[in-house]
Amino acid sequence: MFHKILIANRGEIAVRIIRACKELGIHSVAVYSEADKTCMHARLADESVCIGPAPGNQSYMNIAAIMAAAELTDAEAIHPGYGFLAENAEFADIVIESGLTWIGPTPESMRIMGDKVTAKQKMKKAGVPLVPGSDGAVDHIEDAKRIAKEAGFPIIVKASAGGGGRGMKVVHAMASLPNAFSMCQTEAAAAFGDGTVFIEKFLEEPRHIEVQVLGDTHGNIVHLFERECSMQRNNQKVLEEAPSPFLDAATRKKICAAGVAAAEAVNYVGAGTIEFLMNPDKSFYFIEMNTRIQVEHPVSEWISGVDLIEWQLRVASGEKLAFTQDKIKMKGHAIECRINAEHPFKFTPSPGVIELYHAPGGRSVRVDSHIYTGYTIPPYYDSMIGKVITHARDRKKCIRRMQRAMDELVILGITTNQELHQRLLANPGFQKGEFNIHFLERWLNQMNL
Ligand code: ADP
């Protein structure tokens, strides 16, 4: 196991990784921007190094400064967390070429999965179901027209190098295809430096269901079941749960097997997530793989009993997974509510000073956060300031537990989305588990707040 690692991230995920290090007896090095001097991660770590000015591209994405901090502190490995440089294969290359260990998958699997067209071709070979469409790149409008006709409208034109919900255009009729197609190509070239696009049938009422996988360097890959992530606004997840209330045992088995097949196809090492869209008839299709730890990993940890960050560190140091698939049992239900410093219904950011913070507690309530009373939330980064996670024997009890946890949570001085969660948890559609990726936005529009 490592003696010392550097965490190339901030906020709650840096705190989460530092906590895992402390429990494993690993020394942790935090990096922080000039705006994050007082952030919890910089205080909790054994050592902290300032890596530059507030804007992310000058600090948390500043590869030279991060590598200098690693050298200065003699760190043996780098954990990238999520966001920032987590899916940057060049950064992983640099870490490895510098003789350090990259706590994540190989740069090669990151590259394959980072390019949607290449990823889809790999997945097709591995027998993972794909959304009907072009599979490969589409260069000419005549091909686009033919594929759209075969798939049937609506279709979605997507940038191969796209990410974060950008570089996609939904097209409802042949007449608007030529314009949308060339716009998508031009925008992709400008935004991602790669104008390659492809076409998929646009699924109209899907759920977003993803499979958590974990692989070691000895060729073992397991899944930790699925997560239901359909509760989204603007492609941003708001509340996640595991297992999905929509799946029966047979569908679970199929989608989890597809997740493992996807990971095996790229010899995956570490923690990763395979995202699928699922139709109301339970047919499901691969959309992409995230080659990193995700925000919502705690719900999978809770139902499976596997500490994902601990195992990221263990497999990166060369350990074998200590369990086989049949030893991983799904236990109970877990829900995560993302707490954002933003207006609950207008979604405007609300940085500022936290005048009072009181975290919920009690049985089976977990809070992953970097905030504290007196902390000033800087305006430069993501608005997520923490996560509340609850676990219970079944979904109904888990919702009740989350409701009481949300009622206990006190954050004064800034505005948060706490009230959104309180209303959502009380919503009959949510309680019945009857929702898809459009539910939250439709409900917000109806409320007209
Ligand atoms: P990104 O890498 O930008 O996150 P994804 O391919 O994961 O792109 O798609 C992001 C979101 O866009 C999905 O979660 C889903 O809501 C929507 N989406 C993508 N592809 C389709 C599709 N074929 N049909 C319907 N919705 C889609």
Side-chain angles (χ1 to χ4, degrees):
M1 184 47 92
F2 306 113
H3 171 68
K4 192 194 267 191
I5 73 159
L6 181 142
I7 298 135
N9 215 300
R10 67 177 301 279
E12 76 87 18
I13 192 63
V15 168
R16 165 75 183 91
I17 299 162
I18 294 165
R19 285 175 171 154
C21 287
K22 286 185 190 283
E23 291 175 12
L24 290 164
I26 302 170
H27 283 260
S28 51
V29 180
V31 293
Y32 63 93
S33 74
E34 283 165 11
D36 268 345
K37 280 195 184 95
T38 60
C39 194
M40 178 85 89
H41 75 282
R43 294 184 171 184
L44 271 189
D46 296 305
E47 290 169 65
S48 298
V49 183
C50 184
I51 47 163
N57 58 3
Q58 293 175 52
S59 49
Y60 298 104
M61 297 187 73
N62 181 343
I63 294 178
I66 292 168
M67 294 312 296
E71 195 180 333
L72 188 76
T73 55
D74 264 331
E76 294 152 74
I78 295 186
H79 193 309
Y82 54 68
F84 296 121
L85 297 168
E87 289 180 284
N88 185 321
E90 270 158 50
F91 179 48
D93 277 335
I94 292 169
V95 170
I96 295 164
E97 281 159 18
S98 308
L100 306 190
T101 303
W102 170 249
I103 302 172
T106 61
E108 195 199 346
S109 27
M110 293 169 73
R111 283 200 171 91
I112 295 170
M113 289 302 188
D115 182 85
K116 291 179 199 230
V117 165
T118 318
K120 287 188 80 164
Q121 280 159 353
K122 263 273 186 226
M123 294 303 103
K124 191 171 188 178
K125 267 199 203 140
V128 178
L130 301 180
V131 187
S134 64
D135 294 354
V138 184
D139 299 326
H140 302 292
I141 182 63
E142 291 314 315
D143 297 323
K145 283 184 183 165
R146 180 179 47 77
I147 291 154
K149 208 167 170 189
E150 277 165 24
F153 287 95
I155 55 134
I156 181 166
V157 186
K158 287 173 138 178
S160 187
R166 295 183 313 142
M168 298 188 284
K169 281 208 178 352
V170 181
V171 183
H172 292 273
M174 197 59 94
S176 41
L177 182 61
N179 198 17
F181 182 75
S182 67
M183 260 171 72
C184 199
Q185 283 180 319
T186 313
E187 284 174 17
F192 314 111
D194 173 2
T196 310
V197 301
F198 62 101
I199 291 175
E200 282 179 356
K201 182 158 182 67
F202 183 70
L203 309 180
E204 296 193 70
E205 299 289 330
R207 287 185 173 243
H208 174 128
I209 297 181
E210 56 186 38
V211 176
Q212 175 71 54
V213 294
L214 181 63
D216 65 19
T217 52
H218 305 271
N220 304 300
I221 295 176
V222 296
H223 69 78
L224 304 183
F225 310 104
E226 84 282 3
R227 289 188 288 260
E228 169 68 68
C229 302
S230 301
M231 217 41 103
Q232 305 183 356
R233 188 188 152 267
N234 274 351
N235 284 322
Q236 296 288 319
K237 297 164 187 167
V238 171
L239 176 153
E240 303 97 338
E241 56 185 310
S244 166
F246 188 57
L247 293 202
D248 52 80
T251 313
R252 171 164 304 116
K253 209 171 161 186
K254 265 195 242 164
I255 199 168
C256 292
V260 171
E264 280 173 352
V266 291
N267 301 317
Y268 199 77
V269 172
T273 297
I274 299 92
E275 296 187 341
F276 296 95
L277 290 180
M278 186 177 280
N279 279 322
D281 68 0
K282 295 198 169 70
S283 55
F284 60 84
Y285 304 102
F286 169 88
I287 48 169
E288 66 164 347
M289 179 170 191
N290 293 322
T291 52
R292 55 173 164 83
I293 194 74
Q294 286 190 241
V295 173
E296 59 271 28
H297 74 275
V299 293
S300 302
E301 294 189 317
W302 222 330
I303 62 153
S304 68
V306 174
D307 182 325
L308 276 163
I309 305 283
E310 172 181 343
W311 279 99
Q312 279 192 302
L313 295 167
R314 287 192 185 280
V315 301
S317 75
E319 277 186 44
K320 251 189 198 166
L321 291 182
F323 36 81
T324 48
Q325 189 68 61
D326 56 315
K327 293 284 181 301
I328 307 168
K329 302 280 182 237
M330 195 168 82
K331 197 164 164 253
H333 198 94
I335 299 177
E336 170 181 280
C337 289
R338 297 187 184 204
I339 309 301
N340 295 340
E342 65 186 15
H343 188 281
F345 306 109
K346 296 190 189 112
F347 305 99
T348 42
S350 170
V353 183
I354 295 177
E355 280 158 16
L356 182 71
Y357 170 53
H358 173 79
R363 185 170 156 79
S364 296
V365 176
R366 165 175 169 181
V367 181
D368 278 21
S369 175
H370 56 283
I371 65 167
Y372 55 87
T373 298
Y375 173 60
T376 304
I377 300 166
Y380 306 99
Y381 313 107
D382 194 272
S383 65
M384 198 186 74
I385 53 169
K387 307 162 333 198
V388 177
I389 308 104
T390 58
H391 182 259
R393 202 181 319 121
D394 56 43
R395 186 170 187 268
K396 197 170 166 203
K397 207 158 180 228
C398 193
I399 294 173
R400 292 294 288 270
R401 184 159 280 154
M402 183 59 90
Q403 285 180 305
R404 75 109 178 123
M406 273 302 136
D407 292 345
E408 278 177 39
L409 174 69
V410 179
I411 302 175
L412 300 183
I414 58 154
T415 309
T416 74
N417 63 347
Q418 182 177 7
E419 191 188 337
L420 173 73
H421 284 301
Q422 286 168 318
R423 292 213 198 186
L424 184 57
L425 291 161
N427 178 292
F430 168 71
Q431 293 193 345
K432 281 190 243 149
E434 289 168 2
F435 53 88
N436 64 29
I437 61 170
H438 305 297
F439 179 93
L440 186 59
E441 284 180 11
R442 286 176 185 159
W443 175 64
L444 286 166
N445 287 339
Q446 259 173 25
M447 283 202 298
N448 205 13
L449 287 160

PDB file of all heavy atoms in Angstrom, residues 116 131 156 158 162-166 168 200-203 208 232 235 275 277 287-288 437, ligand 1:
ATOM      1  N   LYS A 116     -16.656   8.890 -27.935  1.00  0.00           N
ATOM      2  CA  LYS A 116     -17.912   8.127 -27.959  1.00  0.00           C
ATOM      3  C   LYS A 116     -18.003   7.158 -29.137  1.00  0.00           C
ATOM      4  O   LYS A 116     -18.560   6.071 -29.001  1.00  0.00           O
ATOM      5  CB  LYS A 116     -19.104   9.079 -27.932  1.00  0.00           C
ATOM      6  CG  LYS A 116     -19.213   9.770 -26.589  1.00  0.00           C
ATOM      7  CD  LYS A 116     -20.365  10.729 -26.528  1.00  0.00           C
ATOM      8  CE  LYS A 116     -20.119  11.692 -25.385  1.00  0.00           C
ATOM      9  NZ  LYS A 116     -21.209  11.867 -24.480  1.00  0.00           N
ATOM     10  N   VAL A 131     -27.769   2.175 -28.470  1.00  0.00           N
ATOM     11  CA  VAL A 131     -28.946   2.872 -29.002  1.00  0.00           C
ATOM     12  C   VAL A 131     -28.902   2.730 -30.515  1.00  0.00           C
ATOM     13  O   VAL A 131     -27.858   2.987 -31.132  1.00  0.00           O
ATOM     14  CB  VAL A 131     -28.928   4.372 -28.636  1.00  0.00           C
ATOM     15  CG1 VAL A 131     -30.238   5.043 -29.039  1.00  0.00           C
ATOM     16  CG2 VAL A 131     -28.652   4.583 -27.161  1.00  0.00           C
ATOM     17  N   ILE A 156     -30.953  12.001 -32.369  1.00  0.00           N
ATOM     18  CA  ILE A 156     -30.064  12.953 -31.701  1.00  0.00           C
ATOM     19  C   ILE A 156     -28.701  12.886 -32.387  1.00  0.00           C
ATOM     20  O   ILE A 156     -28.178  11.803 -32.649  1.00  0.00           O
ATOM     21  CB  ILE A 156     -30.012  12.674 -30.175  1.00  0.00           C
ATOM     22  CG1 ILE A 156     -29.119  13.667 -29.418  1.00  0.00           C
ATOM     23  CG2 ILE A 156     -29.587  11.254 -29.849  1.00  0.00           C
ATOM     24  CD1 ILE A 156     -29.313  13.626 -27.893  1.00  0.00           C
ATOM     25  N   LYS A 158     -24.845  13.669 -32.047  1.00  0.00           N
ATOM     26  CA  LYS A 158     -23.952  13.859 -30.897  1.00  0.00           C
ATOM     27  C   LYS A 158     -22.508  14.000 -31.338  1.00  0.00           C
ATOM     28  O   LYS A 158     -22.068  13.337 -32.277  1.00  0.00           O
ATOM     29  CB  LYS A 158     -24.006  12.631 -29.988  1.00  0.00           C
ATOM     30  CG  LYS A 158     -25.289  12.489 -29.188  1.00  0.00           C
ATOM     31  CD  LYS A 158     -25.245  11.142 -28.478  1.00  0.00           C
ATOM     32  CE  LYS A 158     -25.732  11.211 -27.074  1.00  0.00           C
ATOM     33  NZ  LYS A 158     -25.718   9.888 -26.424  1.00  0.00           N
ATOM     34  N   GLY A 162     -17.839  14.923 -27.235  1.00  0.00           N
ATOM     35  CA  GLY A 162     -18.681  15.699 -26.321  1.00  0.00           C
ATOM     36  C   GLY A 162     -18.642  15.192 -24.895  1.00  0.00           C
ATOM     37  O   GLY A 162     -18.163  14.095 -24.612  1.00  0.00           O
ATOM     38  N   GLY A 163     -19.170  16.000 -23.990  1.00  0.00           N
ATOM     39  CA  GLY A 163     -19.220  15.610 -22.589  1.00  0.00           C
ATOM     40  C   GLY A 163     -19.984  16.651 -21.806  1.00  0.00           C
ATOM     41  O   GLY A 163     -20.197  17.768 -22.296  1.00  0.00           O
ATOM     42  N   GLY A 164     -20.415  16.246 -20.610  1.00  0.00           N
ATOM     43  CA  GLY A 164     -21.118  17.193 -19.741  1.00  0.00           C
ATOM     44  C   GLY A 164     -22.406  17.711 -20.346  1.00  0.00           C
ATOM     45  O   GLY A 164     -22.814  18.843 -20.096  1.00  0.00           O
ATOM     46  N   GLY A 165     -23.049  16.866 -21.174  1.00  0.00           N
ATOM     47  CA  GLY A 165     -24.337  17.247 -21.750  1.00  0.00           C
ATOM     48  C   GLY A 165     -24.211  18.257 -22.902  1.00  0.00           C
ATOM     49  O   GLY A 165     -25.203  18.753 -23.409  1.00  0.00           O
ATOM     50  N   ARG A 166     -22.957  18.550 -23.337  1.00  0.00           N
ATOM     51  CA  ARG A 166     -22.784  19.511 -24.428  1.00  0.00           C
ATOM     52  C   ARG A 166     -22.512  18.777 -25.741  1.00  0.00           C
ATOM     53  O   ARG A 166     -22.035  17.649 -25.740  1.00  0.00           O
ATOM     54  CB  ARG A 166     -21.635  20.468 -24.112  1.00  0.00           C
ATOM     55  CG  ARG A 166     -21.942  21.344 -22.895  1.00  0.00           C
ATOM     56  CD  ARG A 166     -20.854  22.342 -22.621  1.00  0.00           C
ATOM     57  NE  ARG A 166     -19.544  21.693 -22.672  1.00  0.00           N
ATOM     58  CZ  ARG A 166     -18.461  22.260 -23.177  1.00  0.00           C
ATOM     59  NH1 ARG A 166     -18.514  23.453 -23.698  1.00  0.00           N
ATOM     60  NH2 ARG A 166     -17.312  21.613 -23.173  1.00  0.00           N
ATOM     61  N   MET A 168     -24.858  18.127 -28.289  1.00  0.00           N
ATOM     62  CA  MET A 168     -25.936  17.226 -28.712  1.00  0.00           C
ATOM     63  C   MET A 168     -27.086  18.046 -29.277  1.00  0.00           C
ATOM     64  O   MET A 168     -27.391  19.106 -28.753  1.00  0.00           O
ATOM     65  CB  MET A 168     -26.451  16.431 -27.507  1.00  0.00           C
ATOM     66  CG  MET A 168     -25.410  15.546 -26.873  1.00  0.00           C
ATOM     67  SD  MET A 168     -26.100  14.459 -25.623  1.00  0.00           S
ATOM     68  CE  MET A 168     -26.316  15.603 -24.289  1.00  0.00           C
ATOM     69  N   GLU A 200     -27.918   8.910 -33.073  1.00  0.00           N
ATOM     70  CA  GLU A 200     -28.641   7.892 -32.304  1.00  0.00           C
ATOM     71  C   GLU A 200     -30.126   8.183 -32.388  1.00  0.00           C
ATOM     72  O   GLU A 200     -30.531   9.338 -32.548  1.00  0.00           O
ATOM     73  CB  GLU A 200     -28.256   7.962 -30.811  1.00  0.00           C
ATOM     74  CG  GLU A 200     -26.931   7.350 -30.486  1.00  0.00           C
ATOM     75  CD  GLU A 200     -26.586   7.464 -28.996  1.00  0.00           C
ATOM     76  OE1 GLU A 200     -27.335   8.093 -28.210  1.00  0.00           O
ATOM     77  OE2 GLU A 200     -25.544   6.908 -28.627  1.00  0.00           O
ATOM     78  N   LYS A 201     -30.923   7.140 -32.244  1.00  0.00           N
ATOM     79  CA  LYS A 201     -32.348   7.371 -32.094  1.00  0.00           C
ATOM     80  C   LYS A 201     -32.525   8.088 -30.760  1.00  0.00           C
ATOM     81  O   LYS A 201     -31.835   7.785 -29.791  1.00  0.00           O
ATOM     82  CB  LYS A 201     -33.099   6.034 -32.058  1.00  0.00           C
ATOM     83  CG  LYS A 201     -34.593   6.226 -31.949  1.00  0.00           C
ATOM     84  CD  LYS A 201     -35.380   5.034 -32.435  1.00  0.00           C
ATOM     85  CE  LYS A 201     -36.861   5.302 -32.335  1.00  0.00           C
ATOM     86  NZ  LYS A 201     -37.310   6.359 -33.269  1.00  0.00           N
ATOM     87  N   PHE A 202     -33.416   9.088 -30.717  1.00  0.00           N
ATOM     88  CA  PHE A 202     -33.659   9.799 -29.467  1.00  0.00           C
ATOM     89  C   PHE A 202     -34.738   9.051 -28.689  1.00  0.00           C
ATOM     90  O   PHE A 202     -35.862   8.904 -29.168  1.00  0.00           O
ATOM     91  CB  PHE A 202     -34.094  11.244 -29.761  1.00  0.00           C
ATOM     92  CG  PHE A 202     -34.301  12.059 -28.522  1.00  0.00           C
ATOM     93  CD1 PHE A 202     -33.211  12.436 -27.743  1.00  0.00           C
ATOM     94  CD2 PHE A 202     -35.576  12.433 -28.126  1.00  0.00           C
ATOM     95  CE1 PHE A 202     -33.402  13.180 -26.586  1.00  0.00           C
ATOM     96  CE2 PHE A 202     -35.766  13.185 -26.968  1.00  0.00           C
ATOM     97  CZ  PHE A 202     -34.675  13.558 -26.201  1.00  0.00           C
ATOM     98  N   LEU A 203     -34.382   8.537 -27.543  1.00  0.00           N
ATOM     99  CA  LEU A 203     -35.338   7.798 -26.712  1.00  0.00           C
ATOM    100  C   LEU A 203     -36.185   8.823 -25.959  1.00  0.00           C
ATOM    101  O   LEU A 203     -35.637   9.715 -25.322  1.00  0.00           O
ATOM    102  CB  LEU A 203     -34.600   6.866 -25.748  1.00  0.00           C
ATOM    103  CG  LEU A 203     -33.553   5.949 -26.390  1.00  0.00           C
ATOM    104  CD1 LEU A 203     -32.891   5.070 -25.324  1.00  0.00           C
ATOM    105  CD2 LEU A 203     -34.177   5.070 -27.463  1.00  0.00           C
ATOM    106  N   HIS A 208     -32.388   6.954 -16.622  1.00  0.00           N
ATOM    107  CA  HIS A 208     -30.924   6.876 -16.628  1.00  0.00           C
ATOM    108  C   HIS A 208     -30.543   5.900 -15.512  1.00  0.00           C
ATOM    109  O   HIS A 208     -30.751   6.176 -14.334  1.00  0.00           O
ATOM    110  CB  HIS A 208     -30.329   8.261 -16.366  1.00  0.00           C
ATOM    111  CG  HIS A 208     -28.840   8.279 -16.215  1.00  0.00           C
ATOM    112  ND1 HIS A 208     -28.024   9.115 -16.935  1.00  0.00           N
ATOM    113  CD2 HIS A 208     -28.018   7.566 -15.432  1.00  0.00           C
ATOM    114  CE1 HIS A 208     -26.758   8.897 -16.602  1.00  0.00           C
ATOM    115  NE2 HIS A 208     -26.729   7.956 -15.669  1.00  0.00           N
ATOM    116  N   GLN A 232     -33.006  14.307 -12.678  1.00  0.00           N
ATOM    117  CA  GLN A 232     -32.018  15.246 -13.204  1.00  0.00           C
ATOM    118  C   GLN A 232     -32.670  16.551 -13.636  1.00  0.00           C
ATOM    119  O   GLN A 232     -33.843  16.591 -13.969  1.00  0.00           O
ATOM    120  CB  GLN A 232     -31.343  14.695 -14.468  1.00  0.00           C
ATOM    121  CG  GLN A 232     -30.715  13.342 -14.307  1.00  0.00           C
ATOM    122  CD  GLN A 232     -29.998  12.892 -15.574  1.00  0.00           C
ATOM    123  OE1 GLN A 232     -30.033  13.580 -16.603  1.00  0.00           O
ATOM    124  NE2 GLN A 232     -29.347  11.744 -15.504  1.00  0.00           N
ATOM    125  N   ASN A 235     -29.452  17.864 -17.297  1.00  0.00           N
ATOM    126  CA  ASN A 235     -28.448  16.789 -17.309  1.00  0.00           C
ATOM    127  C   ASN A 235     -27.630  16.707 -16.024  1.00  0.00           C
ATOM    128  O   ASN A 235     -26.621  16.015 -15.988  1.00  0.00           O
ATOM    129  CB  ASN A 235     -27.494  16.914 -18.503  1.00  0.00           C
ATOM    130  CG  ASN A 235     -28.163  16.457 -19.787  1.00  0.00           C
ATOM    131  OD1 ASN A 235     -28.929  15.497 -19.784  1.00  0.00           O
ATOM    132  ND2 ASN A 235     -27.891  17.152 -20.861  1.00  0.00           N
ATOM    133  N   GLU A 275     -23.000   3.959 -18.067  1.00  0.00           N
ATOM    134  CA  GLU A 275     -24.316   4.593 -18.080  1.00  0.00           C
ATOM    135  C   GLU A 275     -25.186   4.002 -19.186  1.00  0.00           C
ATOM    136  O   GLU A 275     -24.724   3.830 -20.313  1.00  0.00           O
ATOM    137  CB  GLU A 275     -24.174   6.107 -18.327  1.00  0.00           C
ATOM    138  CG  GLU A 275     -23.430   6.814 -17.225  1.00  0.00           C
ATOM    139  CD  GLU A 275     -23.445   8.343 -17.378  1.00  0.00           C
ATOM    140  OE1 GLU A 275     -23.706   8.846 -18.501  1.00  0.00           O
ATOM    141  OE2 GLU A 275     -23.186   9.021 -16.386  1.00  0.00           O
ATOM    142  N   LEU A 277     -29.356   4.090 -20.908  1.00  0.00           N
ATOM    143  CA  LEU A 277     -30.711   4.635 -20.924  1.00  0.00           C
ATOM    144  C   LEU A 277     -31.643   3.438 -21.021  1.00  0.00           C
ATOM    145  O   LEU A 277     -31.359   2.486 -21.756  1.00  0.00           O
ATOM    146  CB  LEU A 277     -30.923   5.564 -22.126  1.00  0.00           C
ATOM    147  CG  LEU A 277     -30.171   6.900 -22.090  1.00  0.00           C
ATOM    148  CD1 LEU A 277     -30.480   7.715 -23.350  1.00  0.00           C
ATOM    149  CD2 LEU A 277     -30.500   7.706 -20.839  1.00  0.00           C
ATOM    150  N   ILE A 287     -24.816   4.284 -23.118  1.00  0.00           N
ATOM    151  CA  ILE A 287     -24.524   5.605 -23.684  1.00  0.00           C
ATOM    152  C   ILE A 287     -23.081   6.030 -23.466  1.00  0.00           C
ATOM    153  O   ILE A 287     -22.446   6.551 -24.346  1.00  0.00           O
ATOM    154  CB  ILE A 287     -25.512   6.736 -23.301  1.00  0.00           C
ATOM    155  CG1 ILE A 287     -25.792   6.785 -21.818  1.00  0.00           C
ATOM    156  CG2 ILE A 287     -26.780   6.670 -24.127  1.00  0.00           C
ATOM    157  CD1 ILE A 287     -26.537   8.067 -21.421  1.00  0.00           C
ATOM    158  N   GLU A 288     -22.551   5.806 -22.266  1.00  0.00           N
ATOM    159  CA  GLU A 288     -21.128   6.138 -22.095  1.00  0.00           C
ATOM    160  C   GLU A 288     -20.590   5.520 -20.826  1.00  0.00           C
ATOM    161  O   GLU A 288     -21.335   5.051 -19.974  1.00  0.00           O
ATOM    162  CB  GLU A 288     -20.907   7.655 -22.084  1.00  0.00           C
ATOM    163  CG  GLU A 288     -21.506   8.365 -20.907  1.00  0.00           C
ATOM    164  CD  GLU A 288     -20.948   9.782 -20.726  1.00  0.00           C
ATOM    165  OE1 GLU A 288     -19.933  10.134 -21.350  1.00  0.00           O
ATOM    166  OE2 GLU A 288     -21.532  10.536 -19.928  1.00  0.00           O
ATOM    167  N   ILE A 437     -36.219  10.524 -16.885  1.00  0.00           N
ATOM    168  CA  ILE A 437     -35.299  11.671 -16.875  1.00  0.00           C
ATOM    169  C   ILE A 437     -36.005  13.031 -17.071  1.00  0.00           C
ATOM    170  O   ILE A 437     -35.388  14.053 -16.856  1.00  0.00           O
ATOM    171  CB  ILE A 437     -34.141  11.529 -17.900  1.00  0.00           C
ATOM    172  CG1 ILE A 437     -34.667  11.435 -19.329  1.00  0.00           C
ATOM    173  CG2 ILE A 437     -33.253  10.341 -17.596  1.00  0.00           C
ATOM    174  CD1 ILE A 437     -33.554  11.548 -20.366  1.00  0.00           C
TER     175      ILE A 437
HETATM  176  P1  ADP B   1     -22.445  13.515 -21.909  1.00  0.00           P
HETATM  177  O1  ADP B   1     -21.129  12.808 -22.126  1.00  0.00           O
HETATM  178  O2  ADP B   1     -22.440  14.893 -22.464  1.00  0.00           O
HETATM  179  O3  ADP B   1     -22.954  13.405 -20.525  1.00  0.00           O
HETATM  180  P2  ADP B   1     -24.317  11.409 -22.728  1.00  0.00           P
HETATM  181  O4  ADP B   1     -24.163  10.619 -23.959  1.00  0.00           O
HETATM  182  O5  ADP B   1     -23.983  10.729 -21.438  1.00  0.00           O
HETATM  183  O6  ADP B   1     -23.480  12.757 -22.878  1.00  0.00           O
HETATM  184  O7  ADP B   1     -25.775  11.964 -22.651  1.00  0.00           O
HETATM  185  C1  ADP B   1     -26.182  12.876 -21.626  1.00  0.00           C
HETATM  186  C2  ADP B   1     -27.689  12.874 -21.474  1.00  0.00           C
HETATM  187  O8  ADP B   1     -28.340  13.222 -22.708  1.00  0.00           O
HETATM  188  C3  ADP B   1     -28.271  11.527 -21.112  1.00  0.00           C
HETATM  189  O9  ADP B   1     -28.226  11.274 -19.721  1.00  0.00           O
HETATM  190  C4  ADP B   1     -29.693  11.670 -21.630  1.00  0.00           C
HETATM  191  O10 ADP B   1     -30.456  12.432 -20.727  1.00  0.00           O
HETATM  192  C5  ADP B   1     -29.512  12.472 -22.910  1.00  0.00           C
HETATM  193  N1  ADP B   1     -29.342  11.569 -24.044  1.00  0.00           N
HETATM  194  C6  ADP B   1     -28.183  11.165 -24.614  1.00  0.00           C
HETATM  195  N2  ADP B   1     -28.397  10.310 -25.638  1.00  0.00           N
HETATM  196  C7  ADP B   1     -29.741  10.155 -25.744  1.00  0.00           C
HETATM  197  C8  ADP B   1     -30.613   9.403 -26.604  1.00  0.00           C
HETATM  198  N3  ADP B   1     -30.143   8.638 -27.577  1.00  0.00           N
HETATM  199  N4  ADP B   1     -31.942   9.494 -26.375  1.00  0.00           N
HETATM  200  C9  ADP B   1     -32.440  10.267 -25.395  1.00  0.00           C
HETATM  201  N5  ADP B   1     -31.683  11.005 -24.566  1.00  0.00           N
HETATM  202  C10 ADP B   1     -30.354  10.968 -24.727  1.00  0.00           C
END
